Amino acid sequence: KLASLRGVEAGTLQLAVVTTAKYFIPHLIGDYYEKHANLDIRFKVGNRQQIIDRTERDEDDFYVFSHPPENPDLELVEFLPNRLLAIAPANHPLADQKNIPLTEFARSPFLRREEGSGTRHAIERFLAREKATLNVRMTIESNEAIKHAVMSGLGVSILSEHTLSFGGSAGLAVLDVQRLPIITHWYLARRKSRPLSPAAQGFLEYARNLGNLPLDPDFPKA
Ligand code: PGA
């Protein structure tokens, strides 16, 4: 154990991640922490806009986005795919259908994330590309609350597959909608001007070597 601590001194590692990343970053930290148990890790969660604001105030060693801001002061490491899937309650009439036309899905009442959300940003870019509009019923500021609203039959939504992983898909069906999923990637971002502590350097190397490994063995089934 002691040998594995060599190279990364005790220190703090300050991370801020978008709400969708909170479903898998703790698992990555868990693996990293096993080897670096003397680290004091601080972990913040916010929506995309809140995390962008933190980058501007230089508050953390690392930020996790799937839609990083265009800011030349940030260094980005792409590290995992992120697919946004159409979800409905498990008993929804479209749940058993294959190849559902986007226009048909778009007629269902839709539950969307709040302004400032990266998930919403990705969906809006996708709709603009597809020249489609959704039948928005409600705006909800949390992936978890959206999942529960979908389960209760209030509508359908599009959320990151990570919100469904690690047992999080109960009561929900992933719909086979044409043109979906929306495929994006996760990025670890850091301000280039921020000095890289040994702890931060170690974490950066760890993230660079993660590649595309799925984190949850049941992941593709989610
Ligand atoms: P958010 O995160 O929807 O919680 O802002 C996702 C992202 O930035 O892609």
Short mmCIF file of all heavy atoms in Angstrom, two decimals, residues 132-200:
data_model
loop_
_atom_site.label_atom_id
_atom_site.label_comp_id
_atom_site.label_asym_id
_atom_site.label_seq_id
_atom_site.Cartn_x
_atom_site.Cartn_y
_atom_site.Cartn_z
N ALA A 132 -36.50 20.13 -35.47
CA ALA A 132 -37.62 19.53 -34.72
C ALA A 132 -37.91 20.38 -33.49
O ALA A 132 -37.07 21.16 -33.05
CB ALA A 132 -37.24 18.11 -34.29
N THR A 133 -39.14 20.26 -32.97
CA THR A 133 -39.46 20.91 -31.70
C THR A 133 -40.11 19.88 -30.79
O THR A 133 -40.66 18.90 -31.26
CB THR A 133 -40.47 22.09 -31.88
OG1 THR A 133 -41.52 21.63 -32.70
CG2 THR A 133 -39.82 23.31 -32.47
N LEU A 134 -40.01 20.12 -29.49
CA LEU A 134 -40.59 19.19 -28.53
C LEU A 134 -41.83 19.83 -27.91
O LEU A 134 -42.00 21.05 -27.92
CB LEU A 134 -39.57 18.87 -27.43
CG LEU A 134 -38.33 18.10 -27.88
CD1 LEU A 134 -37.30 18.07 -26.78
CD2 LEU A 134 -38.71 16.68 -28.32
N ASN A 135 -42.67 18.98 -27.34
CA ASN A 135 -43.90 19.42 -26.69
C ASN A 135 -43.60 19.58 -25.19
O ASN A 135 -43.93 18.70 -24.40
CB ASN A 135 -44.94 18.33 -27.01
CG ASN A 135 -46.24 18.51 -26.25
OD1 ASN A 135 -46.53 19.60 -25.75
ND2 ASN A 135 -47.01 17.44 -26.17
N VAL A 136 -42.96 20.69 -24.83
CA VAL A 136 -42.46 20.83 -23.45
C VAL A 136 -43.61 21.02 -22.46
O VAL A 136 -44.44 21.90 -22.62
CB VAL A 136 -41.48 22.03 -23.35
CG1 VAL A 136 -41.07 22.25 -21.89
CG2 VAL A 136 -40.26 21.79 -24.22
N ARG A 137 -43.65 20.18 -21.47
CA ARG A 137 -44.70 20.30 -20.44
C ARG A 137 -44.16 20.95 -19.18
O ARG A 137 -44.87 21.68 -18.50
CB ARG A 137 -45.25 18.92 -20.10
CG ARG A 137 -46.18 18.93 -18.91
CD ARG A 137 -46.82 17.61 -18.62
NE ARG A 137 -47.98 17.41 -19.47
CZ ARG A 137 -48.70 16.28 -19.47
NH1 ARG A 137 -48.36 15.27 -18.68
NH2 ARG A 137 -49.74 16.15 -20.26
N MET A 138 -42.91 20.68 -18.86
CA MET A 138 -42.42 21.10 -17.55
C MET A 138 -40.90 21.29 -17.59
O MET A 138 -40.23 20.60 -18.35
CB MET A 138 -42.73 19.99 -16.57
CG MET A 138 -43.22 20.46 -15.23
SD MET A 138 -43.51 19.03 -14.18
CE MET A 138 -45.20 18.71 -14.51
N THR A 139 -40.40 22.20 -16.77
CA THR A 139 -38.97 22.41 -16.64
C THR A 139 -38.57 22.01 -15.23
O THR A 139 -39.15 22.52 -14.26
CB THR A 139 -38.61 23.89 -16.90
OG1 THR A 139 -39.09 24.24 -18.19
CG2 THR A 139 -37.11 24.13 -16.84
N ILE A 140 -37.62 21.10 -15.11
CA ILE A 140 -37.28 20.53 -13.80
C ILE A 140 -35.77 20.58 -13.63
O ILE A 140 -35.02 20.16 -14.51
CB ILE A 140 -37.79 19.07 -13.70
CG1 ILE A 140 -39.30 19.02 -13.92
CG2 ILE A 140 -37.40 18.46 -12.36
CD1 ILE A 140 -39.92 17.64 -13.81
N GLU A 141 -35.33 21.07 -12.47
CA GLU A 141 -33.92 21.38 -12.29
C GLU A 141 -33.09 20.22 -11.74
O GLU A 141 -32.13 20.44 -11.02
CB GLU A 141 -33.83 22.59 -11.34
CG GLU A 141 -32.58 23.41 -11.55
CD GLU A 141 -32.56 24.60 -10.62
OE1 GLU A 141 -33.53 25.39 -10.67
OE2 GLU A 141 -31.60 24.73 -9.85
N SER A 142 -33.46 18.99 -12.03
CA SER A 142 -32.70 17.87 -11.48
C SER A 142 -32.97 16.62 -12.30
O SER A 142 -34.12 16.32 -12.65
CB SER A 142 -33.14 17.68 -10.01
OG SER A 142 -33.27 16.32 -9.68
N ASN A 143 -31.89 15.87 -12.62
CA ASN A 143 -32.06 14.62 -13.36
C ASN A 143 -32.92 13.63 -12.56
O ASN A 143 -33.76 12.94 -13.12
CB ASN A 143 -30.70 13.97 -13.62
CG ASN A 143 -29.81 14.84 -14.47
OD1 ASN A 143 -30.27 15.47 -15.42
ND2 ASN A 143 -28.52 14.89 -14.14
N GLU A 144 -32.67 13.59 -11.26
CA GLU A 144 -33.41 12.64 -10.42
C GLU A 144 -34.90 12.98 -10.41
O GLU A 144 -35.75 12.09 -10.52
CB GLU A 144 -32.88 12.67 -8.97
CG GLU A 144 -31.55 12.00 -8.81
CD GLU A 144 -31.56 10.57 -9.31
OE1 GLU A 144 -32.34 9.77 -8.77
OE2 GLU A 144 -30.82 10.25 -10.25
N ALA A 145 -35.22 14.26 -10.26
CA ALA A 145 -36.64 14.65 -10.23
C ALA A 145 -37.27 14.38 -11.59
O ALA A 145 -38.44 13.97 -11.67
CB ALA A 145 -36.76 16.11 -9.84
N ILE A 146 -36.51 14.57 -12.68
CA ILE A 146 -37.06 14.26 -14.01
C ILE A 146 -37.35 12.76 -14.09
O ILE A 146 -38.42 12.35 -14.54
CB ILE A 146 -36.09 14.70 -15.13
CG1 ILE A 146 -36.11 16.22 -15.24
CG2 ILE A 146 -36.47 14.06 -16.48
CD1 ILE A 146 -35.23 16.80 -16.33
N LYS A 147 -36.42 11.92 -13.62
CA LYS A 147 -36.66 10.48 -13.68
C LYS A 147 -37.93 10.10 -12.93
O LYS A 147 -38.73 9.31 -13.41
CB LYS A 147 -35.45 9.72 -13.12
CG LYS A 147 -34.32 9.60 -14.12
CD LYS A 147 -33.02 9.14 -13.50
CE LYS A 147 -33.17 7.87 -12.72
NZ LYS A 147 -31.88 7.45 -12.12
N HIS A 148 -38.11 10.67 -11.74
CA HIS A 148 -39.31 10.34 -10.97
C HIS A 148 -40.58 10.89 -11.65
O HIS A 148 -41.62 10.23 -11.64
CB HIS A 148 -39.18 10.85 -9.53
CG HIS A 148 -38.27 9.96 -8.73
ND1 HIS A 148 -38.73 8.83 -8.10
CD2 HIS A 148 -36.94 10.00 -8.53
CE1 HIS A 148 -37.71 8.22 -7.52
NE2 HIS A 148 -36.60 8.91 -7.78
N ALA A 149 -40.47 12.06 -12.26
CA ALA A 149 -41.64 12.61 -12.97
C ALA A 149 -41.98 11.72 -14.17
O ALA A 149 -43.16 11.48 -14.46
CB ALA A 149 -41.35 14.04 -13.41
N VAL A 150 -40.95 11.21 -14.86
CA VAL A 150 -41.19 10.30 -15.99
C VAL A 150 -41.85 9.02 -15.47
O VAL A 150 -42.87 8.58 -16.00
CB VAL A 150 -39.88 9.99 -16.75
CG1 VAL A 150 -40.08 8.85 -17.75
CG2 VAL A 150 -39.36 11.23 -17.47
N MET A 151 -41.29 8.44 -14.41
CA MET A 151 -41.86 7.21 -13.83
C MET A 151 -43.32 7.39 -13.48
O MET A 151 -44.13 6.48 -13.64
CB MET A 151 -41.16 6.88 -12.49
CG MET A 151 -39.95 6.04 -12.60
SD MET A 151 -39.34 5.89 -10.88
CE MET A 151 -37.64 6.31 -11.16
N SER A 152 -43.65 8.57 -12.98
CA SER A 152 -45.03 8.78 -12.51
C SER A 152 -45.96 9.10 -13.68
O SER A 152 -47.15 9.33 -13.46
CB SER A 152 -45.07 9.90 -11.47
OG SER A 152 -44.98 11.13 -12.14
N GLY A 153 -45.45 9.13 -14.91
CA GLY A 153 -46.32 9.28 -16.07
C GLY A 153 -46.52 10.72 -16.52
O GLY A 153 -47.35 11.01 -17.37
N LEU A 154 -45.73 11.66 -15.95
CA LEU A 154 -45.91 13.07 -16.35
C LEU A 154 -45.41 13.37 -17.75
O LEU A 154 -45.81 14.36 -18.35
CB LEU A 154 -45.17 13.98 -15.36
CG LEU A 154 -45.93 14.36 -14.11
CD1 LEU A 154 -45.00 15.06 -13.12
CD2 LEU A 154 -47.10 15.26 -14.46
N GLY A 155 -44.51 12.55 -18.26
CA GLY A 155 -44.01 12.82 -19.61
C GLY A 155 -42.80 11.98 -19.92
O GLY A 155 -42.47 11.04 -19.18
N VAL A 156 -42.14 12.34 -21.02
CA VAL A 156 -40.91 11.65 -21.44
C VAL A 156 -39.76 12.63 -21.32
O VAL A 156 -39.98 13.83 -21.07
CB VAL A 156 -41.02 11.14 -22.90
CG1 VAL A 156 -42.14 10.12 -23.03
CG2 VAL A 156 -41.21 12.30 -23.87
N SER A 157 -38.54 12.15 -21.49
CA SER A 157 -37.41 13.08 -21.43
C SER A 157 -36.24 12.53 -22.22
O SER A 157 -36.31 11.41 -22.76
CB SER A 157 -37.02 13.34 -19.98
OG SER A 157 -36.13 14.44 -19.92
N ILE A 158 -35.17 13.30 -22.28
CA ILE A 158 -33.89 12.83 -22.83
C ILE A 158 -32.84 13.14 -21.78
O ILE A 158 -32.67 14.30 -21.39
CB ILE A 158 -33.55 13.54 -24.16
CG1 ILE A 158 -34.61 13.23 -25.23
CG2 ILE A 158 -32.16 13.12 -24.65
CD1 ILE A 158 -34.40 13.96 -26.56
N LEU A 159 -32.20 12.07 -21.30
CA LEU A 159 -31.18 12.25 -20.25
C LEU A 159 -29.94 11.43 -20.59
O LEU A 159 -30.01 10.46 -21.34
CB LEU A 159 -31.72 11.76 -18.90
CG LEU A 159 -32.79 12.59 -18.19
CD1 LEU A 159 -33.13 11.91 -16.86
CD2 LEU A 159 -32.34 14.02 -17.96
N SER A 160 -28.84 11.77 -19.96
CA SER A 160 -27.61 11.00 -20.14
C SER A 160 -27.80 9.57 -19.64
O SER A 160 -28.43 9.34 -18.60
CB SER A 160 -26.48 11.66 -19.34
OG SER A 160 -25.42 10.74 -19.18
N GLU A 161 -27.19 8.64 -20.36
CA GLU A 161 -27.23 7.24 -19.93
C GLU A 161 -26.64 7.07 -18.52
O GLU A 161 -26.99 6.14 -17.81
CB GLU A 161 -26.44 6.37 -20.91
CG GLU A 161 -24.98 6.77 -21.04
CD GLU A 161 -24.24 5.99 -22.12
OE1 GLU A 161 -24.71 4.92 -22.51
OE2 GLU A 161 -23.19 6.48 -22.56
N HIS A 162 -25.77 7.97 -18.12
CA HIS A 162 -25.16 7.84 -16.79
C HIS A 162 -26.18 7.98 -15.68
O HIS A 162 -25.99 7.44 -14.59
CB HIS A 162 -24.04 8.87 -16.62
CG HIS A 162 -22.88 8.57 -17.51
ND1 HIS A 162 -21.95 7.61 -17.22
CD2 HIS A 162 -22.55 9.07 -18.71
CE1 HIS A 162 -21.08 7.55 -18.20
NE2 HIS A 162 -21.42 8.41 -19.12
N THR A 163 -27.27 8.72 -15.94
CA THR A 163 -28.29 8.88 -14.89
C THR A 163 -29.03 7.55 -14.67
O THR A 163 -29.73 7.39 -13.69
CB THR A 163 -29.33 9.97 -15.25
OG1 THR A 163 -30.11 9.53 -16.37
CG2 THR A 163 -28.67 11.29 -15.60
N LEU A 164 -28.89 6.61 -15.62
CA LEU A 164 -29.60 5.32 -15.52
C LEU A 164 -28.68 4.20 -15.05
O LEU A 164 -29.14 3.08 -14.79
CB LEU A 164 -30.14 4.92 -16.90
CG LEU A 164 -30.99 5.96 -17.62
CD1 LEU A 164 -31.38 5.44 -19.00
CD2 LEU A 164 -32.24 6.28 -16.82
N SER A 165 -27.39 4.48 -14.96
CA SER A 165 -26.44 3.41 -14.66
C SER A 165 -26.45 3.08 -13.17
O SER A 165 -27.11 3.76 -12.38
CB SER A 165 -25.04 3.82 -15.12
OG SER A 165 -24.61 4.94 -14.40
N PHE A 166 -25.74 2.06 -12.80
CA PHE A 166 -25.65 1.61 -11.40
C PHE A 166 -27.04 1.46 -10.78
O PHE A 166 -27.32 1.96 -9.69
CB PHE A 166 -24.77 2.57 -10.59
CG PHE A 166 -23.35 2.59 -11.05
CD1 PHE A 166 -22.88 3.62 -11.86
CD2 PHE A 166 -22.48 1.55 -10.73
CE1 PHE A 166 -21.56 3.62 -12.31
CE2 PHE A 166 -21.17 1.55 -11.17
CZ PHE A 166 -20.71 2.58 -11.96
N GLY A 167 -27.92 0.77 -11.51
CA GLY A 167 -29.24 0.45 -10.97
C GLY A 167 -30.24 1.59 -11.06
O GLY A 167 -31.32 1.51 -10.49
N GLY A 168 -29.92 2.66 -11.77
CA GLY A 168 -30.80 3.84 -11.79
C GLY A 168 -31.88 3.82 -12.87
O GLY A 168 -32.46 4.87 -13.16
N SER A 169 -32.15 2.66 -13.48
CA SER A 169 -33.13 2.67 -14.58
C SER A 169 -34.48 2.05 -14.17
O SER A 169 -35.34 1.85 -15.01
CB SER A 169 -32.57 1.94 -15.80
OG SER A 169 -32.32 0.59 -15.47
N ALA A 170 -34.67 1.77 -12.87
CA ALA A 170 -35.91 1.12 -12.42
C ALA A 170 -37.13 1.96 -12.80
O ALA A 170 -37.13 3.18 -12.62
CB ALA A 170 -35.87 0.93 -10.91
N GLY A 171 -38.15 1.30 -13.33
CA GLY A 171 -39.40 1.99 -13.66
C GLY A 171 -39.36 2.76 -14.97
O GLY A 171 -40.33 3.43 -15.34
N LEU A 172 -38.22 2.69 -15.66
CA LEU A 172 -38.05 3.48 -16.89
C LEU A 172 -37.75 2.58 -18.08
O LEU A 172 -37.18 1.51 -17.93
CB LEU A 172 -36.89 4.47 -16.72
CG LEU A 172 -37.03 5.47 -15.59
CD1 LEU A 172 -35.72 6.22 -15.38
CD2 LEU A 172 -38.16 6.46 -15.90
N ALA A 173 -38.15 3.03 -19.28
CA ALA A 173 -37.77 2.34 -20.51
C ALA A 173 -36.96 3.31 -21.35
O ALA A 173 -37.23 4.51 -21.35
CB ALA A 173 -39.02 1.92 -21.28
N VAL A 174 -35.94 2.77 -22.04
CA VAL A 174 -35.21 3.59 -23.01
C VAL A 174 -35.90 3.39 -24.35
O VAL A 174 -36.10 2.25 -24.79
CB VAL A 174 -33.73 3.15 -23.09
CG1 VAL A 174 -33.01 3.89 -24.21
CG2 VAL A 174 -33.04 3.42 -21.75
N LEU A 175 -36.33 4.46 -25.00
CA LEU A 175 -37.06 4.34 -26.27
C LEU A 175 -36.10 4.32 -27.45
O LEU A 175 -35.09 5.03 -27.45
CB LEU A 175 -38.03 5.52 -26.43
CG LEU A 175 -39.09 5.69 -25.34
CD1 LEU A 175 -40.01 6.86 -25.70
CD2 LEU A 175 -39.91 4.41 -25.15
N ASP A 176 -36.47 3.53 -28.44
CA ASP A 176 -35.67 3.40 -29.66
C ASP A 176 -36.14 4.45 -30.67
O ASP A 176 -36.92 4.16 -31.57
CB ASP A 176 -35.85 1.97 -30.19
CG ASP A 176 -35.06 1.73 -31.45
OD1 ASP A 176 -34.16 2.54 -31.77
OD2 ASP A 176 -35.36 0.73 -32.14
N VAL A 177 -35.69 5.68 -30.47
CA VAL A 177 -36.15 6.79 -31.32
C VAL A 177 -35.12 7.06 -32.41
O VAL A 177 -33.91 7.08 -32.13
CB VAL A 177 -36.34 8.07 -30.45
CG1 VAL A 177 -36.77 9.25 -31.31
CG2 VAL A 177 -37.35 7.82 -29.35
N GLN A 178 -35.61 7.27 -33.63
CA GLN A 178 -34.72 7.58 -34.74
C GLN A 178 -33.91 8.84 -34.43
O GLN A 178 -34.44 9.77 -33.83
CB GLN A 178 -35.53 7.82 -36.01
CG GLN A 178 -36.12 6.55 -36.59
CD GLN A 178 -37.09 6.82 -37.74
OE1 GLN A 178 -37.17 7.92 -38.26
NE2 GLN A 178 -37.83 5.79 -38.10
N ARG A 179 -32.67 8.86 -34.87
CA ARG A 179 -31.74 10.00 -34.71
C ARG A 179 -31.16 10.09 -33.28
O ARG A 179 -30.31 10.93 -33.02
CB ARG A 179 -32.35 11.37 -35.08
CG ARG A 179 -33.24 11.38 -36.29
CD ARG A 179 -32.52 11.07 -37.57
NE ARG A 179 -31.53 12.09 -37.85
CZ ARG A 179 -30.45 11.90 -38.60
NH1 ARG A 179 -30.22 10.72 -39.12
NH2 ARG A 179 -29.61 12.89 -38.82
N LEU A 180 -31.70 9.27 -32.36
CA LEU A 180 -31.14 9.25 -31.00
C LEU A 180 -30.30 7.98 -30.83
O LEU A 180 -30.54 7.01 -31.54
CB LEU A 180 -32.26 9.28 -29.97
CG LEU A 180 -32.99 10.61 -29.83
CD1 LEU A 180 -34.14 10.48 -28.85
CD2 LEU A 180 -32.04 11.70 -29.35
N PRO A 181 -29.40 7.85 -29.91
CA PRO A 181 -29.06 8.87 -28.89
C PRO A 181 -28.27 10.05 -29.46
O PRO A 181 -27.72 9.98 -30.56
CB PRO A 181 -28.20 8.08 -27.92
CG PRO A 181 -27.58 6.99 -28.74
CD PRO A 181 -28.61 6.62 -29.76
N ILE A 182 -28.26 11.12 -28.69
CA ILE A 182 -27.35 12.23 -28.96
C ILE A 182 -26.02 11.82 -28.34
O ILE A 182 -25.98 11.45 -27.17
CB ILE A 182 -27.87 13.53 -28.29
CG1 ILE A 182 -29.28 13.87 -28.77
CG2 ILE A 182 -26.89 14.68 -28.53
CD1 ILE A 182 -29.95 14.99 -27.97
N ILE A 183 -24.97 11.83 -29.16
CA ILE A 183 -23.69 11.36 -28.63
C ILE A 183 -22.75 12.52 -28.32
O ILE A 183 -22.49 13.36 -29.18
CB ILE A 183 -23.03 10.37 -29.60
CG1 ILE A 183 -23.99 9.17 -29.73
CG2 ILE A 183 -21.65 9.90 -29.10
CD1 ILE A 183 -23.53 8.05 -30.58
N THR A 184 -22.33 12.56 -27.08
CA THR A 184 -21.37 13.60 -26.68
C THR A 184 -20.23 12.90 -25.92
O THR A 184 -20.22 11.68 -25.83
CB THR A 184 -22.05 14.66 -25.78
OG1 THR A 184 -22.53 14.02 -24.61
CG2 THR A 184 -23.20 15.35 -26.48
N HIS A 185 -19.31 13.68 -25.39
CA HIS A 185 -18.19 13.12 -24.64
C HIS A 185 -17.97 13.88 -23.35
O HIS A 185 -18.29 15.06 -23.27
CB HIS A 185 -16.91 13.16 -25.48
CG HIS A 185 -16.86 12.06 -26.47
ND1 HIS A 185 -17.42 12.19 -27.71
CD2 HIS A 185 -16.39 10.81 -26.38
CE1 HIS A 185 -17.28 11.05 -28.36
NE2 HIS A 185 -16.66 10.19 -27.57
N TRP A 186 -17.39 13.18 -22.41
CA TRP A 186 -17.01 13.86 -21.17
C TRP A 186 -15.60 14.43 -21.30
O TRP A 186 -14.73 13.79 -21.90
CB TRP A 186 -17.02 12.87 -20.00
CG TRP A 186 -18.40 12.48 -19.64
CD1 TRP A 186 -18.98 11.27 -19.83
CD2 TRP A 186 -19.40 13.32 -19.07
NE1 TRP A 186 -20.28 11.30 -19.40
CE2 TRP A 186 -20.56 12.54 -18.93
CE3 TRP A 186 -19.42 14.66 -18.65
CZ2 TRP A 186 -21.74 13.05 -18.40
CZ3 TRP A 186 -20.60 15.16 -18.12
CH2 TRP A 186 -21.73 14.37 -17.99
N TYR A 187 -15.42 15.59 -20.72
CA TYR A 187 -14.10 16.23 -20.70
C TYR A 187 -13.73 16.59 -19.27
O TYR A 187 -14.57 17.13 -18.53
CB TYR A 187 -14.11 17.53 -21.51
CG TYR A 187 -14.34 17.33 -22.97
CD1 TYR A 187 -15.63 17.31 -23.48
CD2 TYR A 187 -13.28 17.14 -23.85
CE1 TYR A 187 -15.86 17.11 -24.84
CE2 TYR A 187 -13.49 16.94 -25.20
CZ TYR A 187 -14.79 16.92 -25.69
OH TYR A 187 -15.01 16.72 -27.02
N LEU A 188 -12.47 16.31 -18.98
CA LEU A 188 -11.89 16.83 -17.75
C LEU A 188 -11.21 18.14 -18.16
O LEU A 188 -10.43 18.14 -19.12
CB LEU A 188 -10.85 15.84 -17.23
CG LEU A 188 -10.27 16.12 -15.85
CD1 LEU A 188 -11.34 15.87 -14.78
CD2 LEU A 188 -9.08 15.22 -15.58
N ALA A 189 -11.55 19.22 -17.50
CA ALA A 189 -10.98 20.53 -17.88
C ALA A 189 -10.17 21.08 -16.72
O ALA A 189 -10.48 20.81 -15.55
CB ALA A 189 -12.11 21.50 -18.22
N ARG A 190 -9.10 21.80 -17.06
CA ARG A 190 -8.36 22.51 -16.02
C ARG A 190 -7.87 23.84 -16.56
O ARG A 190 -7.65 23.98 -17.76
CB ARG A 190 -7.18 21.68 -15.50
CG ARG A 190 -6.09 21.38 -16.50
CD ARG A 190 -4.92 20.68 -15.88
NE ARG A 190 -4.22 21.56 -14.95
CZ ARG A 190 -3.23 22.38 -15.31
NH1 ARG A 190 -2.80 22.43 -16.57
NH2 ARG A 190 -2.64 23.15 -14.42
N ARG A 191 -7.76 24.80 -15.69
CA ARG A 191 -7.23 26.10 -16.12
C ARG A 191 -5.73 25.94 -16.32
O ARG A 191 -5.03 25.50 -15.41
CB ARG A 191 -7.48 27.16 -15.04
CG ARG A 191 -8.78 27.86 -15.17
CD ARG A 191 -8.78 29.07 -14.26
NE ARG A 191 -8.30 30.23 -14.98
CZ ARG A 191 -9.10 31.06 -15.64
NH1 ARG A 191 -10.40 30.89 -15.63
NH2 ARG A 191 -8.60 32.08 -16.29
N LYS A 192 -5.26 26.32 -17.52
CA LYS A 192 -3.83 26.12 -17.85
C LYS A 192 -2.93 26.89 -16.88
O LYS A 192 -1.81 26.47 -16.61
CB LYS A 192 -3.55 26.60 -19.27
CG LYS A 192 -4.19 25.75 -20.34
CD LYS A 192 -3.98 26.38 -21.70
CE LYS A 192 -4.75 25.65 -22.78
NZ LYS A 192 -4.88 26.45 -24.00
N SER A 193 -3.43 28.01 -16.38
CA SER A 193 -2.56 28.86 -15.54
C SER A 193 -2.48 28.36 -14.10
O SER A 193 -1.67 28.84 -13.32
CB SER A 193 -3.10 30.29 -15.54
OG SER A 193 -4.42 30.26 -15.02
N ARG A 194 -3.32 27.40 -13.74
CA ARG A 194 -3.34 26.95 -12.33
C ARG A 194 -2.18 25.98 -12.11
O ARG A 194 -2.05 24.98 -12.82
CB ARG A 194 -4.67 26.27 -12.02
CG ARG A 194 -4.87 25.97 -10.54
CD ARG A 194 -6.26 25.40 -10.33
NE ARG A 194 -6.49 24.95 -8.98
CZ ARG A 194 -7.18 25.64 -8.06
NH1 ARG A 194 -7.68 26.82 -8.36
NH2 ARG A 194 -7.35 25.14 -6.86
N PRO A 195 -1.34 26.23 -11.10
CA PRO A 195 -0.22 25.32 -10.88
C PRO A 195 -0.73 23.91 -10.63
O PRO A 195 -1.74 23.72 -9.94
CB PRO A 195 0.48 25.88 -9.63
CG PRO A 195 -0.05 27.26 -9.46
CD PRO A 195 -1.39 27.32 -10.14
N LEU A 196 -0.04 22.93 -11.23
CA LEU A 196 -0.46 21.54 -11.12
C LEU A 196 0.23 20.93 -9.89
O LEU A 196 1.43 20.67 -9.91
CB LEU A 196 -0.04 20.84 -12.41
CG LEU A 196 -0.79 19.63 -12.93
CD1 LEU A 196 -2.29 19.85 -13.00
CD2 LEU A 196 -0.25 19.25 -14.30
N SER A 197 -0.54 20.68 -8.84
CA SER A 197 0.04 20.07 -7.65
C SER A 197 0.34 18.60 -7.97
O SER A 197 -0.22 18.06 -8.92
CB SER A 197 -0.96 20.14 -6.49
OG SER A 197 -2.07 19.31 -6.79
N PRO A 198 1.18 17.93 -7.18
CA PRO A 198 1.40 16.50 -7.42
C PRO A 198 0.09 15.71 -7.42
O PRO A 198 -0.10 14.81 -8.23
CB PRO A 198 2.32 16.08 -6.27
CG PRO A 198 2.99 17.33 -5.82
CD PRO A 198 1.99 18.44 -6.07
N ALA A 199 -0.82 16.08 -6.53
CA ALA A 199 -2.11 15.37 -6.47
C ALA A 199 -2.89 15.57 -7.78
O ALA A 199 -3.47 14.64 -8.33
CB ALA A 199 -2.93 15.89 -5.30
N ALA A 200 -2.87 16.81 -8.28
CA ALA A 200 -3.60 17.11 -9.52
C ALA A 200 -2.94 16.41 -10.71
O ALA A 200 -3.61 15.86 -11.58
CB ALA A 200 -3.67 18.61 -9.74
#
